[in-house]
Amino acid sequence: MRESVQAEVMMSFLVSEELSFRIPVELRYESSDPYAVRLTFHLPGDAPVTWAFGRELLIDGVGRPCGEGDVRVTPVEPDALGEVLIRLQVGNDQALFRSSTAPLVAFLDRTDKLVPLGQEGSLADFDAHLDEALDRILAEQGAG
């Protein structure tokens, strides 16, 4: 069974120190891909852009700097859970977003209710076995 959790959060797209603007960002989590969260950024004048990265990275990044490479999540103030920065990078190009922590934590709490942290592996194995079983059944029906 494919279940999901969705939310929309307003984030600030930080173009420079002087320029930022608020954009809607869709958050999505699916039990069929239990290790990942997807963020779809709706930038003005562009097609939506979706990034998928580890749910655990977002969970950890709310409280402390996390991530290497393309995705980094860092609290704005290390001792407070007020806001978080999400840095996305491709090559030399990068985008920086600022979000209130509260809606991210609420979203992550809902994902944990759907698939508790640490239980992703058992769910992924179940889905893989279910897909294999369905493929066998369909192949047998097609042959018969």
Side-chain angles (χ1 to χ4, degrees):
M1 178 184 288
R2 184 180 193 175
E3 297 181 69
S4 65
V5 172
Q6 294 174 264
E8 184 172 294
V9 175
M10 292 301 290
M11 292 188 186
S12 294
F13 175 39
L14 307 174
V15 178
S16 68
E17 287 187 28
E18 300 83 28
L19 178 62
S20 69
F21 50 93
R22 308 225 352 117
I23 62 165
V25 178
E26 292 175 35
L27 309 174
R28 184 169 183 87
Y29 176 80
E30 296 183 358
S31 62
S32 62
D33 189 5
Y35 292 101
V37 291
R38 286 173 174 67
L39 279 68
T40 300
F41 299 88
H42 295 273
L43 300 168
D46 285 332
V49 175
T50 301
W51 278 70
F53 53 90
R55 172 172 71 155
E56 199 165 344
L57 172 66
L58 189 57
I59 291 169
D60 291 345
V62 165
R64 64 179 174 81
C66 287
E68 296 178 12
D70 296 346
V71 179
R72 296 176 189 209
V73 182
T74 308
V76 172
E77 295 179 36
D79 297 329
L81 292 177
E83 293 183 310
V84 66
L85 295 173
I86 300 173
R87 182 181 313 272
L88 307 174
Q89 186 166 344
V90 176
N92 291 329
D93 296 327
Q94 66 179 356
L96 185 61
F97 300 89
R98 180 187 291 233
S99 174
S100 173
T101 303
L104 297 178
V105 169
F107 169 76
L108 291 167
D109 183 56
R110 290 175 51 217
T111 71
D112 191 61
K113 286 184 171 98
L114 181 60
V115 179
L117 193 61
Q119 299 298 312
E120 300 93 346
S122 62
L123 184 62
D125 290 342
F126 173 77
D127 284 346
H129 293 302
L130 180 60
D131 287 344
E132 290 171 12
L134 288 173
D135 288 344
R136 276 196 312 273
I137 292 168
L138 292 174
E140 290 171 5
Q141 286 180 343

